[in-house]
Amino acid sequence: MASDPAGDEGGGCRLRSICGGCDSDPDVVLRRLDTNTSAPTAPQSALPSPSSSSFPNQQEPRLLFLSPNPSKQQARKSRKPRDQPPALAESPPFLGPGMASNVAVTGNAGSGADGDAPRRNRPKYSKFTQQELPACKPILTPKWVVSVFFLVGVIFVPVGVVSLLAARDVVEIIDRYDHACVPPNMTDNKLGYIRNQTISKDCTRTLRVKKDMKQPIFVYYQLDNFYQNHRRYVKSRNDAQLRDYKKANQTTSCEPERFTADGKPIVPCGLIAWSLFNDTYSFTRSNENLTVDKKDISWKSDREHKFAKNVYPSNFQNGALIGGKMLNASIPLSEQEDLIVWMRTAALPTFRKLYGRISVDLKVNDTIIVKLSNNYNTYSFGGKKKLVLSTATWLGGKNEFLGFAYLIVGGLCIFLAFAFTLLYVIKPRKLGDHNYLSWNRHPSGR
Amino acid sequence: MARARKRDRLRWSKLYTFSCFRHPHTDEGGGGGGGPSAASGSPVGGPGFSRVVHCNNSILHRRKPLKYPTNYISTTKYNVLTFLPKAIFEQFRRVANLYFLLTAILSLTPVCPFSPVSMIAPLAFVVGLSMIKEALEDWRRFMQDMKVNNRKVSVHKGDGEFGFRHWEDLCVGDVVRVEKDQFFPADLLLLSSSYEDGICYVETMNLDGETNLKLKRSLEVTLPLEEDETYKDFRGVIRCEDPNPSLYTFIGNLEYERQIYSIDPFQILLRDSKLRNTAFIYGVVIFTGHDSKVMQNSTESPSKRSRIEKKMDLVIYILFTVLVLISLISSIGFAVRIKLDLPRWWYLQPEKSNKLDDPTRPALSGIFHLITALILYGYLIPISLYVSIEVVKVAQAHFINQDLHMFDEETGNTAQARTSNLNEELGQVHTILSDKTGTLTCNQMDFLKCSIAGVSYGVRASEVERAAAKQMASGAADDQDISLEDVWENTEDEIQLLEGVNFSAGNTPKTSIKGFSFEDNRLMQGNWTKEPNSNMVLLFFRILALCHTAIPEVNEETGALTYEAESPDEGAFLVAAREFGFEFSKRTQSSIFIKEKYTSSNGTIEREFKILNLLEFNSKRKRMTVILKDEDDRIFLLCKGADTIIFDRLAKNGRLYEPDTTKHLNEYGEAGLRTLALSYRMLEESEYASWNAEFLQAKTSIGPDRELQLERVADLIERELILVGATAVEDKLQTGVPQCIDRLAQAGLKIWVLTGDKMETAINIGYACSLLRQGMKRISLSTTAGDQVAQDAQKAAKESLMLQIANGSQMVKLEKDPDAAFALIIDGKALTFALEDDMKHMFLNLATECASVICCRVSPRQKALVTRLVKEGLGKTTLAIGDGANDVGMIQEADIGVGISGVEGMQAVMASDFSISQFRFLERLLVVHGHWCYKRIAQMICYFFYKNITFGLTIFYFEAFAGFSGQSVYDDWFMLLFNVVLTSLPVISLGVFEQDVSAEICLQFPALYQQGPNNLFFDWYRILGWMGNGLYSSLAIFFLNICIFYDQAIRSGGQTADMASVGTTMFSCIIWAVNIQIALTMSHFTWIQHVFVWGSIGTWYVFIIAYGMALKSRDNYQIMLEVLGPAPLYWAATLLVTAACNIPYLIHISYQRSCNPLDHHVIQEIKYLRKDVEDETMWKRERSKARQRTKIGFTARVDAKIKQIKGRLHKKSPSLTIHTVA
C-alpha cells in the first residue's frame, strides 16, 4: 500500500538528493518548501480534500471509490450516524496529550466533521519546526585551514613587530630606594627606622638618564608584595560616602576603619584610604626644578563622578593608628588625585601607580636628583619600593611581552600553515574522498 | 431500542461448548457459581474482605461508615497547595542544586566572596524555570484527568429513570448502563446484558493488551433486570474483597432477595475495558476511582535517565572533587598566609581582625575560608547545565512532536516525546525489543489467497512477495550498486502507478474492502462456477460463511452488513465469503442464514442452516467445528483449523488434495501469510445422533474432568475429514515495517520480537518482516513440559532446554561460513526456564550470536524480564516498543519505552517515553532525531564543562596572586551573567539546532547511527579532551593577561591597570574565547546560531557599557568607554588571547579532518563539493555500502540471493570488484 506519507517521503528524498548539500541556496530551499507544503494537498485526486467533506451526499461515493485507503473512510462513515456523544464512544480512559487534544477537537466539532481531526492535528509546516532552516555549513577544507593559519600569522607577526617596536621606544628608569634610603646604622632595624617619627625620612637619589626621554615623562611608584587585592582590603571602602557628602555617615563595609575612637565616621573610610601611599618625590636636574604635574593622573570619570567636589576629608587619620598619608581637609576629594589613584586597587601584589607627570624632555646622560621622603612602611612585609620614570607610547608602557607573544603566536600560525600545507602535500586526502568512509577503510571490521 | 434488542437475543451458552458453559443446577467447580451458595466457607466478611456495597442505594455510600472514594481520578503529582513545597523539594534532590542552594544560603553570611544576589539570582532562575516546566507538565496531566472524569455515563437516577452523569460523580452502589463500544467507568458487577443469557463481550486491550474479546456473564438471578424500569426497586448487597490490584481474581457475594450468591471474576467488568459486540449492559458499581483494579495496578513509571546524563553526573562528581581539591589548596594557602604573613601586613590592620581571618587561629580561619573557596570556585560546576539541558531537551522534544515525517495522516497523531530527558538515549540504542501485534502488524487480516481443491487462487502478491520480487528484479537488472532506497522508492512509485491504472480502467473498487485483498477472476463475479471443481469451491465458500461465531450487524443507514467477530481472521473470512457471493446475513439461536448469489446475473437465494453443534476454537484444540443441517436435512460437519491438526484428521479419501494443498500452504507461509486448512465431513443421521447423545452426556456431566470429557468427545467426531482447501490471510504488516526493520538492521540495531502469539504466527510474521528468511539456520527452543507437571519433569525439561541451548551455541561456534545467519525462536515455557538465574547468561550468549530472536507465547512479565536480561546482560541501551497494556512492563523496564499510539489502548503510550503512531516512524525517531539529539547533547555537555573550567580556573589562579583571600578579579555581575546570559544561548543553540548531517543523509547512511551506540562523542577521551582544552584556555587567558597587564602603563596617558580593568579584560577574553570555540564546534549555522553566538559577544559589550553608566559598578564605572575602549592594548590582548585559546582546538580538528576523518566529515565534504550530484554512482554505491552487514532484513535476503547467483556464475564477481574501485 503506497500510503500518502510514504510517497511524500520518497519524493522529497529524491528531490533533495538532487540538490543536496546546498541548503543555503535559496532557490533550492524554495523548491523544497513547495514539495513539503504541497504534500498534504498534492494527492487531491486520491484523498478527499477537506472542503469536500461538507457535501457528503454528492461526493462520498466517488471519494470512497477513489480513496487509496477507503477502509478508513468507511469506518468514519459508519461511525458518524451514531447519536451518542462521540467523545464517549471513542476515547479510551487514558489519553496521551496528543490524543487528548485530538479527541477534544472531535468532540467539539459535533457536526460530523470528525474526519477533519487528523488534519487539524497536523503540525503546521515551518522550516523551523522541521529543522530545515537554511544554514551555512562551513567545513574545514585544507584551503581554509592553511589560509586561516596563514592569515592569523600574517596579522599577528606585524602586530607583534609594531608592538615590540613601540615597547622598545619606551625609556624607563627604575630606582629601588627602599633599601638605600635606610640609614646605614638602621639596616638591621628597618621597622624601627620607619616607625620612628623622629628620624627624618628624607633621602636623596641620583638617577642617570640613559636615553633621551620625550615628555611627558610619567612618574610612578611601584610597590612589591603589597596585597591591594586582598579581599579584606578591597572590601574596605564605601563608595557612596565618597560621591555624596550627605552620605558621610555611610561607612558600612569599611571595617575595620569606620569610626574614630570617639565614634565619628571617617571620610574617606576604610583600609584603602587609610593606607594611602605617602612617599613624596621632587626632581631636580642640575639645579633646575622639574615640576611634577599631579593633575589629571586619575581617570576623569573618577574625579567627576565617584569622588565628589563637595566631599571633604574628615576625621581622616585621626585614630590611634596612622596608616599612610594625611589628607588636607580643605581640599575636596575630587582633587585629591593621589587618593583617587590609590583607591583603584591593583590586581596584583606588584603594581605601579601614577605619581605625576614631568613635562620636560630629558636628555641622555642627564642626572636627575630625586629628593624623596621615605615615609611608607613596606619594611614590615618585606615589600620593595621603586621609583619609576617612564615615557609611554600609544600602546602604553614598556611592555615587550605583548610583542613577543604576538610574534610567537603569529610565527606558530605561519609554521602551522606550512606544516598543514606539507601534510596536505605529503599525505593528500581528496576532499570528500569516499575511500575514507569507515566502511571502506575497515571493510572487515564491520 | 427494544426491537433492536430482540434481534440480539441469542443464547450463546447453548451454542458454545467449552468456554461459556454454565452448570445448570450446581455451584460446584469455581468457574460456575450460578446458584445460591452459603457464605460459610468463603472468606467474605473477614479481614481484607470488608467491602459492603448497597446496590442501587448509593446514598448510603455518600456518608460514613460506608463512604468509599468517588470515581474521581487524579494522576497529577501536585495540587495547588502542595506544588510549592513538593516541587521545591524535587528540585533540591539534585545534588548540584542542593550545592547551589547551600552556597546561596552561605552567601548571606560574610563568608561569601560575592554579593548574595549574584548567588541567589541564578539559582532562582534555574530552579524557577524547572519548576515552571513541572507545573506545565502537571497541568497537562490534570487536564487529561479532567477529560476522563468528565465523561458521561448513564446512571440510574431512581424510579427506573436513567440519566447521564459525569464519571467523577459516580458512586459505589450506582447502577449504570453502558452501551456498546463504551468504556466501563468503574469496576462493575454485571447484572444483565442485551443478550438473553446475560453474556457480554469485553475487550481488555487496555488491561492486558489482548485483542480477542473476552466473555463475561451475569448471575442468573439478575437476568430479569434487563429493562430500565426493573431497577426501580432493585436492592441488593454485595460483600466482597477490598480493593486490590489482581485483575483476574474476585471474591464476593451478592445478597439478593434473601439469597446469597457468590460472585466470581466472570461477573466483574473492569474499568477501562470496553464493551464490544453487545448492545448494552447493566452493572452496579463496586470499586470506584482509585479503588478500581486498573488504577490499583497502575504503577508509577520509573524515572529513567539517559546514559549520557549518568556519565555527566560522574563528570560533575569529578569536577566536585577538583573543586574540593582546589578549595583545600586555597584554604591551606590562606591559613598559611594568615599565620605567617598577615601580622606583617599592617595595611590590613591584622590586630583588628575578626575570626574569618584571625592570624592567631589560622586553622579556624582556614576552615571558614574553605567554605568561601567552595563558593568562589563553584563556577567549575555549571549551575546552568541542568537547566540548559532541560531547555534544550524540551526544544528537541518539540521538534520530535512537530516532525511532519512522523505525523500519521490517518489517525492524526504526531510523535510525542512524553519524557524529554531521554532524547539523546535514542541515539544510542543497541537492541530493539518489539511487540508484534499492533506494533509490527495492524492486527487487521486480509483475505489474500486460497487453495481450493488443490488449485491455488489469488493473484495478488503479499507484501513480502511484492517487495522481494522487486528486489530480485532490480538485483538482476543491475549490479548491487543500486541502493536499497532507490528500490523502495521505485516500488512505491510502481505500486502507485499500478493502482492508478486500476482505478482509471474502471475496475470495481473491490481492492479497497477492509479485510479482503483477494483478486482472481477465476473466482470472482461468480466465475467460480466454471471452475472444474466448482463443487469443492462451493463447499469452501460455505465453510467460510458458516464456520464461525460471528454476529452480523446491519448498519441502519446503508443497510450494509458488518460482522462482529471474535478474531480478525474470522472477520476476514466472512468478508471474503460475502465478496464471493455467500453473504452471512443473519444468525438466530439455532440457525445461520446465508444469502447466496452464484453469478452476478442470478438473484440471491437465502439459505438457512441449522446449527446442531458448535465446537469453538481454543488455543489447545487449534480448530473449530460446526455441525449443521442444511435445507435438505443433510448433516455437515465443517471444520477449520491449523493445517497440522486438520491433516492429522483426514480420512483416507479426504487426502486427494493434500499434496497440492501442502505445497500451497508452504508457499503461503513463505509469503508471510497466516494459513488455515478447511475441511468437511458428511454425517449420517444415525452417526450424528449417537455422537450427540454422548456429547450431551459429556456436556451435562459434573466434575473436574468435564472439559477433558468434552474434548475427547469432540475429538471423536472431528475425524475422517475431507480436505477442501486452505486459506491464506495476510496479517497486514503496518506500512513500511519491513523497510523500517531493514534500515534499522542496517543501522546496526538488533531486533528482538516478543509476542504473545503462537510460534507459527510469530514465525510467519518473522518472514513477513524479513526477520527470518530462507537459508537461515533456525534454533528453536521449546519444552514439552505441561503446566502442572511434577518437580522432576520440570527438571527434565530444564535439562533438555539446557542441552538445546548448548547445542545451539555449539552449532553457532562451529559454523565456518561467515555469512551464515542464525535465528533463535523460543517459546514462553522454555523462556521461563531460560530466564532463570543459572541459565540466563547461556541463553543471552546464544541469543546475541543469532541474527534475529523471536520469543513466542510470552507473558507480559516475561517480556519485562527478557528486557531486563538484555539490558543488564549486555549493558547496552535497549528500546522496547509496543502498543498494548501487555507491553507496559517491557516499556517501563527498557531504557527507552516507545508506545504505539495506534488505534486503541493508551496504556502503553501512557507508560512510554515516546509515542509514535506507526512502527515505521521508529526509523526516523532513532536514526534522525536520536542521532542528532545524541550528538547535540554530548557536544553541549562537553562544551559546558570546557566553558566552566575555563572560567572557574581563572578565578582560582587569581587567588594565588591575591593571597588566597577569596577575592575575585571579576565583578559580581560578570559572574552572575556568565552562565545565565553571556554564554548560555550559544550552547543552547548548539543543543537545539546542530546538525552534523541533514536528516535525509542520516536516513541514507544508516551506518552513521553507529556513532551513537559506539559513544564516539561522549567517551572519556573526548570528555577529558574538552576538560584539558578548558584547562589550557584558562591558563592562556589568565597568564597572558597577567603578563600583559603586569605593571606597565596600559594607555598612552600613562595610567596603569587596576583590578577592574584586568578583570574586565580577562572576562572579555573569556567571552571571546568560549564563543569562538563554540563557533568552531558547530557545523551548522542558521541565522539563529549566528545571532546567538555573535550576539553573546555583542551583549557583553552592550552590558559592560551599560553597566559602566551605573555608579553602582564601583571600579567598573565607565570602564569600557573611558579606560579600556580607547586602549589599543586591551584590544590587542583580546585578539591575542582569543587566538591563543582556540589554536590548539583548531589544530586538533584540522588534523583530525585531514588524517582521520569521521564518516560525517567525509559526507559533509561530499555534500559541500556537491560530489553527490556530480558522481551519482559513487554516491549511490556509498549509500548502499553505508550499512551494517546485516543478516536480517530484505537487504540480507537479496545479499543471500546474490551470493547464490554468484556461486553459480563464478566469473562475474571479479569484474564487480574492479568496477567498484573505478
Side-chain angles (χ1 to χ4, degrees), chain A residues 92-93 122 172 220 301 406 438, chain B residues 148 151 272 409 1122 1132 1159:
Chain A
R122 185 190 172 89
E172 205 179 44
Y220 300 95
S301 61
Y406 262 100
S438 60
Chain B
V148 173
R151 293 218 189 127
D272 284 358
E409 299 277 351
E1122 191 189 4
D1159 291 342

Side-chain angles (χ1 to χ4, degrees), chain A residues 111-242:
Chain A
S111 57
D114 53 346
D116 278 354
R119 272 166 202 289
R120 274 188 223 172
N121 230 353
R122 185 190 172 89
K124 278 209 189 74
Y125 174 82
S126 82
K127 278 186 210 158
F128 178 78
T129 55
Q130 301 308 308
Q131 309 191 57
E132 288 171 354
L133 285 174
C136 71
K137 301 170 180 173
I139 58 166
L140 271 180
T141 61
K143 218 189 294 170
W144 267 99
V145 173
V146 171
S147 33
V148 164
F149 280 127
F150 194 70
L151 191 75
V152 173
V154 162
I155 292 170
F156 273 40
V157 171
V159 172
V161 169
V162 169
S163 39
L164 205 57
L165 288 179
R168 289 267 156 97
D169 275 351
V170 174
V171 186
E172 205 179 44
I173 303 167
I174 303 173
D175 178 55
R176 181 182 171 185
Y177 63 88
D178 58 314
H179 193 68
C181 282
V182 180
N185 57 340
M186 298 208 69
T187 42
D188 298 335
N189 185 12
K190 289 176 191 158
L191 215 52
Y193 154 78
I194 200 76
R195 282 189 178 154
N196 192 337
Q197 303 286 329
T198 56
I199 302 174
S200 164
K201 302 298 189 304
D202 290 345
C203 174
T204 308
R205 305 284 300 161
T206 313
L207 308 176
R208 270 199 56 219
V209 180
K210 292 186 190 111
K211 244 177 155 183
D212 280 359
M213 290 171 89
K214 282 251 159 52
Q215 65 98 2
I217 295 154
F218 298 103
V219 181
Y220 300 95
Y221 54 92
Q222 176 168 346
L223 296 181
D224 259 1
N225 206 11
F226 187 97
Y227 285 86
Q228 255 206 325
N229 58 9
H230 199 280
R231 185 153 76 103
R232 190 176 151 94
Y233 191 78
V234 173
K235 274 202 303 191
S236 188
R237 64 189 286 170
N238 190 311
D239 283 337
Q241 185 196 42
L242 303 176

Side-chain angles (χ1 to χ4, degrees), chain B residues 575-642:
Chain B
V575 172
R578 186 181 68 199
E579 295 306 315
F580 288 130
F582 291 75
E583 186 178 49
F584 163 52
S585 60
K586 204 165 113 190
R587 182 189 280 278
T588 66
Q589 189 62 54
S590 57
S591 308
I592 292 181
F593 292 87
I594 295 179
K595 285 184 184 152
E596 297 189 352
K597 188 179 178 184
Y598 286 177
T599 55
S600 41
S601 52
N602 279 6
T604 55
I605 315 160
E606 186 165 69
R607 286 181 200 277
E608 183 187 349
F609 293 89
K610 279 201 159 62
I611 304 174
L612 301 175
N613 295 88
L614 193 151
L615 309 170
E616 76 270 21
F617 186 91
N618 69 27
S619 54
K620 209 164 161 192
R621 283 160 41 80
K622 291 183 179 173
R623 62 186 182 271
M624 109 156 246
T625 301
V626 283
I627 301 172
L628 33 76
K629 204 181 240 180
D630 72 358
E631 285 162 330
D632 306 330
D633 278 349
R634 286 180 298 176
I635 300 177
F636 282 96
L637 180 147
L638 308 180
C639 178
K640 66 176 183 197

Side-chain angles (χ1 to χ4, degrees), chain B residues 340-356:
Chain B
L340 301 179
D341 291 338
L342 188 65
R344 302 191 287 134
W345 291 341
W346 61 266
Y347 49 90
L348 294 180
Q349 297 197 354
E351 61 284 353
K352 286 192 189 166
S353 60
N354 52 24
K355 60 179 176 294
L356 292 186

Side-chain angles (χ1 to χ4, degrees), chain B residues 1020-1221:
Chain B
W1020 284 111
Y1021 177 76
R1022 210 163 259 261
I1023 295 168
L1024 293 178
W1026 273 102
M1027 291 169 101
N1029 191 14
L1031 177 70
Y1032 163 79
S1033 295
S1034 66
L1035 287 169
I1037 288 166
F1038 184 76
F1039 287 102
L1040 286 178
N1041 273 307
I1042 288 303
C1043 291
I1044 291 168
F1045 289 92
Y1046 183 57
D1047 57 359
Q1048 289 290 345
I1050 57 164
R1051 293 265 300 259
S1052 53
Q1055 297 93 334
T1056 52
D1058 66 330
M1059 202 160 78
S1061 31
V1062 172
T1064 308
T1065 314
M1066 265 163 65
F1067 198 76
S1068 303
C1069 292
I1070 290 175
I1071 295 295
W1072 272 98
V1074 299
N1075 279 305
I1076 296 289
Q1077 175 71 57
I1078 202 164
L1080 285 176
T1081 314
M1082 287 175 179
S1083 57
H1084 183 89
F1085 286 88
T1086 65
W1087 61 267
I1088 300 170
Q1089 278 99 325
H1090 282 301
V1091 166
F1092 282 180
V1093 174
W1094 314 124
S1096 288
I1097 298 175
T1099 310
W1100 156 242
Y1101 285 104
V1102 170
F1103 163 75
I1104 189 66
I1105 288 168
Y1107 186 56
M1109 304 282 185
L1111 276 166
K1112 282 227 158 193
S1113 56
R1114 298 177 51 149
D1115 280 353
N1116 284 307
Y1117 185 66
Q1118 296 287 11
I1119 190 135
M1120 188 49 70
L1121 291 179
E1122 191 189 4
V1123 181
L1124 293 176
L1129 191 72
Y1130 165 75
W1131 300 104
T1134 311
L1135 179 66
L1136 175 79
V1137 174
T1138 308
C1141 282
N1142 285 301
I1143 281 175
Y1145 182 75
L1146 192 63
I1147 296 173
H1148 166 74
I1149 55 173
S1150 312
Y1151 182 79
Q1152 191 195 23
R1153 199 181 262 273
S1154 62
C1155 294
N1156 216 0
L1158 294 173
D1159 291 342
H1160 66 275
H1161 290 143
V1162 179
I1163 292 169
Q1164 281 168 0
E1165 289 166 4
I1166 292 177
K1167 273 283 183 192
Y1168 181 78
L1169 298 175
R1170 303 175 62 100
K1171 271 194 174 181
D1172 54 320
V1173 188
E1174 287 157 16
D1175 189 359
E1176 269 185 77
T1177 26
M1178 178 278 295
W1179 184 243
K1180 278 188 177 171
R1181 186 179 62 238
E1182 294 311 323
R1183 270 159 64 183
S1184 70
K1185 275 199 226 166
R1187 50 183 163 92
Q1188 301 281 306
R1189 177 143 305 153
T1190 55
K1191 290 173 176 176
I1192 55 171
F1194 270 106
T1195 325
R1197 279 192 174 182
V1198 176
D1199 282 351
K1201 196 81 194 170
I1202 287 166
K1203 267 195 200 91
Q1204 250 180 27
I1205 298 167
K1206 268 190 195 169
R1208 281 183 222 139
L1209 311 165
H1210 259 291
K1211 283 176 192 168
K1212 211 178 173 184
S1213 48
S1215 68
L1216 274 176
T1217 47
I1218 289 161
H1219 181 78
T1220 318
V1221 171

